[in-house]
């Protein structure tokens, strides 16, 4: 299985987020099909990069096709994919997967048996895949990561992003229509 080339990520965040739906994401062989993702760019008041580079968001200003991993509200890790033609602070938050590889290890890490609860939400996803801050800034086309093309293009829906106080109405949340593994259903 081949990793997506870095050129896949050298595009605007909304295009990358849309096209990530249906890809396979593995971390050390554990993971699944991306069913939900949100786009953020440096012009977006909801983005960590909006006010410029800091020690926390430095990976967002690095090359496309690298990981941006951070703690959300000091509670759980979140996994973003840096994107864009230039290192301007654009990224895609991977919100949910349909788990397909390493389910036993994911169940052990998460302490739940229901596959719908293993990777439905950014914090659950990182816990199930074993993603921590140690992977911040790492290239996604090298181990432990593998992101490869999906089998067939799914029907993709879009809507407002989740849990934002600024920029929440921007329809940059993308998901696999009808998936049982979304963090939240899309509103009609």
């Amino acid at each position: 299985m081949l990793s997506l080339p870095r050129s896949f990520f050298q595009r605007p965040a909304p295009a990358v987020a849309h096209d990530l739906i249906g890809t396979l994401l593995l971390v050390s062989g554990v993971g699944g099909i991306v069913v939900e993702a949100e786009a953020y760019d440096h012009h977006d008041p909801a983005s960590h990069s909006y006010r410029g580079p800091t020690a926390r968001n430095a990976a967002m200003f690095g090359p496309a096709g690298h990981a941006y991993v951070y703690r959300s509200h000091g509670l759980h890790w979140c996994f973003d994919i840096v994107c864009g033609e230039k290192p301007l602070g654009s990224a895609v938050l991977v919100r949910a997967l349909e788990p397909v590889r390493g389910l036993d290890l994911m169940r052990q890490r998460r302490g739940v048996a229901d596959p719908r609860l293993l990777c439905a939400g950014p914090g659950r996803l990182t816990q199930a895949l074993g993603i921590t801050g140690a992977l911040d800034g790492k290239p996604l086309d090298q181990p432990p990561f593998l992101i490869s093309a999906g089998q067939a293009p799914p029907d993709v829906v879009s809507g407002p992003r989740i849990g934002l106080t600024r920029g929440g109405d921007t329809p940059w949340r993308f998901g696999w229509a009808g998936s049982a593994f979304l963090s939240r259903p899309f509103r009609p």
Side-chain angles (χ1 to χ4, degrees), residues 151-168:
Q151 296 290 344
D155 291 329
V156 177
V157 294
S158 66
R161 294 170 296 182
I162 294 174
L164 302 177
T165 56
R166 295 171 291 165

Side-chain angles (χ1 to χ4, degrees), residues 48 56-57 59-60 66-70 78-80 82 91 136-137:
H48 292 174
R56 178 184 187 222
N57 70 12
M60 279 187 88
H66 283 66
Y68 168 46
V69 181
Y70 60 92
C78 290
F79 169 68
D80 288 54
V82 178
D136 186 41

Side-chain angles (χ1 to χ4, degrees), residues 36-84:
E36 185 180 355
E38 288 181 345
Y40 294 87
D41 76 18
H42 63 285
H43 296 298
D44 177 5
S47 177
H48 292 174
S49 64
Y50 185 64
R51 288 190 165 80
T54 66
R56 178 184 187 222
N57 70 12
M60 279 187 88
F61 293 88
H66 283 66
Y68 168 46
V69 181
Y70 60 92
R71 284 248 193 225
S72 176
H73 306 289
L75 299 174
H76 56 264
W77 295 107
C78 290
F79 169 68
D80 288 54
I81 296 171
V82 178
C83 53

Side-chain angles (χ1 to χ4, degrees), residues 4 11-12 28 56 62 67 72 98 103 117 145 148 151 158 167 184 186-187:
L4 293 171
R11 302 178 295 140
S28 298
R56 178 184 187 222
S72 176
E98 176 180 342
L103 273 74
L117 299 178
F145 294 106
S148 65
Q151 296 290 344
S158 66
R184 290 189 196 164
F186 281 79
R187 293 185 232 148

Side-chain angles (χ1 to χ4, degrees), residues 56-127:
R56 178 184 187 222
N57 70 12
M60 279 187 88
F61 293 88
H66 283 66
Y68 168 46
V69 181
Y70 60 92
R71 284 248 193 225
S72 176
H73 306 289
L75 299 174
H76 56 264
W77 295 107
C78 290
F79 169 68
D80 288 54
I81 296 171
V82 178
C83 53
E85 290 182 37
K86 298 178 182 178
L88 296 173
S90 295
V92 172
L93 170 66
V94 181
R95 288 195 57 84
L97 298 178
E98 176 180 342
V100 296
R101 301 241 179 112
L103 273 74
D104 288 340
L105 184 53
M106 285 191 248
R107 286 181 177 115
Q108 180 183 0
R109 288 172 173 165
R110 290 269 308 117
V112 297
D114 186 343
R116 292 173 299 165
L117 299 178
L118 293 175
C119 299
R124 291 174 175 174
L125 182 149
T126 55
Q127 185 180 20

